[in-house]
């Protein structure tokens, strides 16, 4: 399927391989998730070489909400820790290296994290800026994502008087 996305011209690909399949353990470990993501990346790269066009960029990370929201009632959501983010990034970087994708690592543009906001069918756990504070100024995290050299807005609501986040991360 990923090769077909590349053939169709998609060039920003989220490689999230965290879902357990068949008789896999649940949850999968970071190293296995990263190895599977590297395998998909290799398929995407081969398909891109055939299709041509702009080089693909990649998003990694497994903190993506369940489609449709949580099934259980939520009152609090633990944000991703900087240590968990570092572990994810390092596991993926090592898997890329082991798969011979060192040069492709430079096109990893983002890491998906859980900032502490989520919803279920009845309610929303609202974002609390303090929950994500450890990522503000985290040059170490930023240094592990090759392309993320300048700050980008993580929240942009033009109807609000609060400007988008533009600090270091």
């Amino acid at each position: 399927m990923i090769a077909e996305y590349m053939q169709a011209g998609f060039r920003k690909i989220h490689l999230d391989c965290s879902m357990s399949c068949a008789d896999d353990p649940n949850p999968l470990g970071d190293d296995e998730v990263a190895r599977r993501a590297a395998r998909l990346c290799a398929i995407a790269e081969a398909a891109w070489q055939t299709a041509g066009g702009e080089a693909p960029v990649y998003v990694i990370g497994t903190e993506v909400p369940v489609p449709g929201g949580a099934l259980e009632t939520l009152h609090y959501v633990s944000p991703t820790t900087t240590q968990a983010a570092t572990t994810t990034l390092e596991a993926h970087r090592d898997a890329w290296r082991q798969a011979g994708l060192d040069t492709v690592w430079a096109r990893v543009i983002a890491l998906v994290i859980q900032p502490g906001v989520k919803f279920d069918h009845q309610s929303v756990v609202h974002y609390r800026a303090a929950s994500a504070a450890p990522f503000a100024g985290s040059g170490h995290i930023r240094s592990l994502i090759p392309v993320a050299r300048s700050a980008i807005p993580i929240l942009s609501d033009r109807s609000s008087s609060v400007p988008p986040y533009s600090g270091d991360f």
Side-chain angles (χ1 to χ4, degrees):
M1 184 168 38
I2 196 163
E4 291 172 359
Y5 275 104
M6 297 305 292
Q7 293 293 333
F10 288 86
R11 292 299 181 264
K12 182 174 80 174
I13 306 294
H14 182 189
L15 301 171
D16 179 354
C17 297
S18 62
M19 298 298 289
S20 296
C21 300
D23 59 352
D24 285 342
N26 191 9
L28 291 172
D30 289 321
D31 291 337
E32 181 61 24
V33 169
R35 274 191 297 275
R36 290 178 181 187
R39 281 188 9 221
L40 285 182
C41 182
I43 292 167
E45 288 292 303
W48 167 59
Q49 293 298 325
T50 301
E54 186 177 334
V57 294
Y58 301 98
V59 175
I60 60 173
T62 62
E63 298 287 347
V64 178
V66 175
L71 299 176
E72 71 279 1
T73 301
L74 301 170
H75 300 288
Y76 176 77
V77 178
S78 297
T80 303
T81 65
T82 54
Q83 181 55 51
T86 298
T87 298
T88 296
L89 285 166
E90 289 174 347
H92 280 74
R93 185 184 57 204
D94 291 346
W96 257 242
R97 188 174 294 127
Q98 291 171 8
L101 298 168
D102 298 57
T103 59
V104 179
W105 181 253
R107 289 187 270 120
V108 171
I109 62 167
L111 169 68
V112 177
I113 63 164
Q114 169 52 266
V117 62
K118 206 165 193 172
F119 65 95
D120 63 26
H121 294 288
Q122 304 296 319
S123 63
V124 173
V125 176
H126 293 281
Y127 175 71
R128 294 182 187 108
S131 295
F135 283 96
S138 180
H140 174 65
I141 297 294
R142 192 175 85 182
S143 72
L144 295 174
I145 303 175
V147 178
R149 298 293 183 226
S150 61
I152 58 171
I154 60 169
L155 175 63
S156 181
D157 180 354
R158 296 189 192 283
S159 65
S160 170
S161 61
V162 178
Y165 176 80
S166 62
D168 193 15
F169 54 122

